Amino acid sequence: MNKKQLQSELTKKRIADAARVLFIQKGYKATSIEDIVEVTGSSKGNIYYHFKSKEGLFLYLVEEWDHDWEQQWLEKESKYHTTIDKLYGIAEQMVLDDLNHPLTKAADEFFNNEEKTSDVEERLAEMVVRHLKFYEKFIREGMEKGEFKQDNVESLAVILEGLFFGLSQMSRKLSMKEALELYQLAVKVFLSGIATRPS
């Protein structure tokens, strides 16, 4: 990376860090590009050069959050001995992260905002694909170890992503204890089903 590229990356990080504070304090909708201009001292043009839009800037922060989550998981994954234990561990980390992350409230506003540019939609789709790959790897591991029965890995990954995404939306007003219990029950249901006899 040459000096100009390094300077550009530092500017981008400075804008993102300042914007993160605003989004946490004011929420997604109430934070304007003008607010970001004011706190960073960067021009509107400079902000748009790095991020294209307010949506693009916020999505950059969400992607950072996503990568941080994955990094945290990789650091503690080895303490779980079975794939089933890992699934309960993933659920627990999701609860702790979702309910405690400073950007959660702003993220809810962002994802409930109906108007998204095609660029943002594309990046959101890429994020979902990354999540699905994460679950596919995990499910394959369970099958290879004989903990999960053989089934369609891709479909199971979609179900798991849908389950956890839905839980994150439905558990916002729950206490930490209630949310943990709900996620643990969801994992149990995913693993064993609820029918008393095969259909």
Side-chain angles (χ1 to χ4, degrees):
M1 193 181 285
N2 64 35
K3 192 177 176 183
K4 191 177 177 185
Q5 288 169 322
L6 180 63
Q7 190 60 47
S8 179
E9 278 305 304
L10 288 171
T11 301
K12 186 174 185 175
K13 183 172 177 0
R14 185 172 56 79
I15 293 167
D17 289 347
R20 183 187 295 105
V21 173
L22 283 173
F23 286 128
I24 291 167
Q25 289 172 347
K26 300 178 70 170
Y28 176 74
K29 287 179 186 167
T31 300
S32 66
I33 288 291
E34 286 73 20
D35 293 332
I36 298 165
V37 165
E38 195 176 322
V39 296
T40 59
S42 291
S43 68
K44 237 187 220 188
N46 198 13
I47 292 167
Y48 286 136
Y49 169 76
H50 289 289
F51 297 104
K52 292 189 181 174
S53 64
K54 182 176 101 166
E55 274 185 309
L57 171 48
F58 191 79
L59 187 53
Y60 173 85
L61 297 174
V62 171
E63 287 167 338
E64 269 193 341
W65 174 6
D66 211 42
H67 287 295
D68 289 347
W69 188 96
E70 218 166 298
Q71 198 54 48
Q72 284 171 32
W73 172 251
L74 291 173
E75 285 166 15
K76 67 180 186 184
E77 184 181 13
S78 60
K79 79 175 192 176
Y80 299 100
H81 301 296
T82 67
T83 315
I84 288 171
D85 287 343
K86 284 182 186 180
L87 186 53
Y88 281 104
I90 288 169
E92 183 181 3
Q93 183 173 314
M94 284 186 164
V95 172
L96 298 175
D97 189 61
D98 266 4
L99 295 186
N100 290 319
H101 199 284
L103 274 176
T104 295
K105 188 171 177 289
D108 285 345
E109 284 182 47
F110 173 76
F111 286 111
N112 290 326
N113 177 24
E114 289 173 21
E115 292 174 25
K116 290 184 179 62
T117 62
S118 57
D119 171 54
V120 167
E121 290 283 7
E122 202 173 292
R123 282 166 63 193
L124 285 171
E126 285 167 13
M127 199 183 299
V128 170
V129 167
R130 203 166 60 245
H131 291 181
L132 292 175
K133 296 287 177 207
F134 174 84
Y135 290 129
E136 284 171 17
K137 178 174 175 272
F138 165 79
I139 291 164
R140 276 195 192 93
E141 180 190 313
M143 288 178 182
E144 284 162 13
K145 287 182 172 180
E147 292 179 61
F148 301 162
K149 67 181 181 183
Q150 296 297 316
D151 210 326
N152 185 310
V153 174
E154 289 78 11
S155 295
L156 289 174
V158 170
I159 291 166
L160 200 49
E161 167 71 357
L163 180 66
F164 282 142
F165 180 77
L167 285 169
S168 76
Q169 299 303 300
M170 301 297 287
S171 60
R172 290 286 191 252
K173 291 184 170 64
L174 300 180
S175 69
M176 188 68 71
K177 182 176 180 291
E178 289 169 330
L180 274 168
E181 285 171 357
L182 183 65
Y183 272 70
Q184 285 164 353
L185 177 59
V187 169
K188 187 179 170 187
V189 169
F190 176 80
L191 290 170
S192 61
I194 60 171
T196 53
R197 59 188 172 79
S199 57

